Amino acid sequence: MKRLLLSLTLLALVTAGFSGCSKQRQWNHEQRKAMREALRSYRQMVYLDDLTDAEFGLFSDAVAGTLENAYPVYVEFIQMEGVDDTVDMVVVTEIVDELNADARNMRHIFPYNVLVAQGILPQGLDHDQLKAFYNCLATKVNNTYSSIGQFFNAILADTTDLSQISQLESQCANDLFNWEVTEIDITETVTPAAGASATSAQPAATASSNNAR
């Protein structure tokens, strides 16, 4: 996961600039701006990398607001031991809250265009169909993992069973749209060469096609 890079130089500048406000029980504009800038280091994180700039701006504001409410004295917060871990936790918690609030936010982890390219979903689905798909997927994930939080942490740790996730996605696609993947196996065959005892082998191949019933 991306980490906040609070260098000693930055820390010294911020501390010097705001030492007179150390008793202040609320962050000021510059302090909030500094936190939003620091949160950009998370921009390439799974889920966040699919947000638009506007969506990421709202996400950053929510994280900064949570941190400000929990740690109203900014200078004490940035000097706190384990500040990076604290920000990590709040970022992940905010993502999990968004996933719990609206199952369609699963699209930021499994974007529709990627699922189409993988053959899991057909092209041309409308808003209501996609909403139904992501609701279905969220339900299956909830039934597979103890919580959305456990599921997302497994994604961050890269310990999710991708084949299992693909099965859940395919089940939803089949249940909702009668869309399934049909595998055609071509086994290796041996054909006698004309006028010779030698044989030639045709290599095995597997083809897959997506069919809507």
Side-chain angles (χ1 to χ4, degrees):
M1 181 185 296
K2 296 288 185 180
R3 309 285 293 178
L4 283 178
L5 303 179
L6 294 176
S7 66
L8 293 177
T9 302
L10 175 60
L11 184 59
L13 287 173
V14 173
T15 303
F18 300 114
S19 58
C21 304
S22 60
K23 300 298 183 181
Q24 182 179 330
R25 305 299 296 179
Q26 184 179 6
W27 296 6
N28 62 33
H29 173 73
E30 291 302 320
Q31 291 165 342
R32 295 187 188 103
K33 181 179 178 181
M35 177 52 62
R36 287 194 296 269
E37 289 292 325
L39 288 171
R40 289 185 180 180
S41 64
Y42 290 84
R43 193 67 173 95
Q44 299 305 313
M45 181 178 173
V46 63
Y47 183 93
L48 299 181
D49 60 352
D50 190 64
L51 299 183
T52 64
D53 289 342
E55 289 171 335
F56 184 75
L58 292 174
F59 179 88
S60 297
D61 287 344
V63 171
T66 298
L67 290 169
E68 179 179 354
N69 289 334
Y71 306 97
V73 181
Y74 182 78
V75 174
E76 292 179 2
F77 166 65
I78 62 173
Q79 293 177 323
M80 181 179 68
E81 183 178 355
V83 61
D84 288 347
D85 291 334
T86 298
V87 176
D88 285 351
M89 180 187 68
V90 173
V91 167
V92 171
T93 299
E94 182 65 25
I95 292 174
V96 171
D97 286 347
E98 290 192 1
L99 290 171
N100 280 321
D102 186 352
R104 191 167 173 266
N105 284 328
M106 292 285 282
R107 73 189 188 278
H108 295 309
I109 302 177
F110 308 108
Y112 174 49
N113 63 323
V114 173
L115 297 179
V116 170
Q118 293 173 342
I120 292 173
L121 286 179
Q123 293 181 344
L125 297 184
D126 60 28
H127 177 273
D128 289 339
Q129 289 173 317
L130 286 174
K131 182 178 180 180
F133 171 79
Y134 286 114
N135 277 328
C136 173
L137 181 58
T139 298
K140 289 185 179 296
V141 166
N142 271 321
N143 291 336
T144 303
Y145 293 85
S146 62
S147 67
I148 289 292
Q150 184 198 46
F151 161 72
F152 188 71
N153 280 319
I155 288 180
L156 292 180
D158 198 24
T159 58
T160 49
D161 185 340
L162 295 181
S163 63
Q164 183 183 45
I165 295 297
S166 294
Q167 287 179 354
L168 300 181
E169 293 168 339
S170 297
Q171 289 169 10
C172 287
N174 189 31
D175 293 345
L176 294 169
F177 316 121
N178 291 328
W179 183 263
E180 63 180 8
V181 175
T182 302
E183 292 188 354
I184 304 172
D185 294 323
I186 302 174
T187 57
E188 184 177 74
T189 59
V190 177
T191 305
S197 60
T199 60
S200 61
Q202 296 178 347
T206 300
S208 63
S209 61
N210 297 311
N211 301 297
R213 291 177 183 169

